[in-house]
Amino acid sequence: GGGGGGGGGGGSGCDDGGGDARAPYPVLGDVCAVAAATLYALSNVAVEYVVQRYPRGDYVAMLGVWGLAFAALQAVLLERDAVRAVRWSGGVVLAWFAAFTALQALFSALAPTAITLGGSALFNLSLITTQLYAMVIGVLLFAQWPSWLAAVGAAFIVLGMLAYNCTPLPTFSLAERRRAAASATDASTTSTARSSTPPSR
């Protein structure tokens, strides 16, 4: 994407009018952003599959364990210089860090419930719409006008929401989903047991 600030458009983000606050590789940044969004959407689909078949508490626990491991590894390998450069005095950084951690933990705990009730498609579309609010806040509070590419992206977001809401989808209650998941699990267990039983002579 582009830089920040107010002024005229240009690039794939907002332009501050200075001409020097541009990313060195904007195309690579856009490709990485699209790839990350796609992988995150796929992960939400996987979360829907998991939480419909296993307890949500187990999912959140495993998310915390493996998330801590991967985040620590990433910090040590890729961000150790940035961590050393942080000034931890004064308590302000620690307060922001604690607030971010608390909000991230709350989001991680509530996301499985939202995905179970509404499905991963609705959850992904809801997250995408946050970009619209970010654009409005950027214009009203920071005078950051989005580029034409951001406007095109916003139009696709609106079209996606309209297509999702105008298409009749089969609705299933949570109990029906759990019964279907239990039936599939029982069928898989029975099939596995039969295949592992030696034939009688």
Side-chain angles (χ1 to χ4, degrees):
S12 57
C14 298
D15 188 9
D16 64 353
D20 296 329
R22 293 181 179 274
Y25 305 103
V27 176
L28 177 61
D30 293 341
V31 171
C32 290
V34 172
T38 303
L39 292 176
Y40 184 69
L42 293 176
S43 72
N44 287 332
V45 176
V47 169
E48 181 180 7
Y49 177 85
V50 171
V51 297
Q52 287 182 353
R53 288 162 176 79
Y54 302 97
R56 288 194 295 269
D58 293 350
Y59 164 77
V60 174
M62 290 295 101
L63 180 65
V65 170
W66 292 104
L68 176 62
F70 280 103
L73 185 63
Q74 177 183 346
V76 171
L77 296 179
L78 303 177
E79 301 176 1
R80 55 181 179 273
D81 295 334
V83 174
R84 290 196 196 101
V86 175
R87 297 181 179 179
W88 299 95
S89 60
V92 178
V93 175
L94 290 177
W96 282 110
F97 185 77
F100 171 79
T101 302
L103 292 176
Q104 185 64 44
L106 181 63
F107 175 82
S108 299
L110 295 179
T113 302
I115 292 176
T116 302
L117 297 177
S120 58
L122 180 61
F123 185 78
N124 288 331
L125 288 174
S126 300
L127 291 180
I128 292 175
T129 56
T130 58
Q131 181 64 24
L132 299 178
Y133 297 106
M135 291 171 57
V136 173
I137 293 175
V139 172
L140 296 180
L141 298 183
F142 305 105
Q144 293 180 343
W145 292 91
S147 67
W148 66 273
L149 285 177
V152 172
F156 275 107
I157 292 173
V158 174
L159 290 177
M161 292 294 295
L162 291 176
Y164 181 84
N165 288 279
C166 293
T167 303
L169 297 176
T171 57
F172 303 97
S173 65
L174 180 59
E176 290 174 338
R177 291 183 180 183
R178 292 194 180 278
R179 284 197 298 269
S183 299
T185 303
D186 293 340
S188 177
T189 304
T190 304
S191 176
T192 303
R194 289 178 178 175
S195 61
S196 61
T197 302
S200 58
R201 296 181 178 178

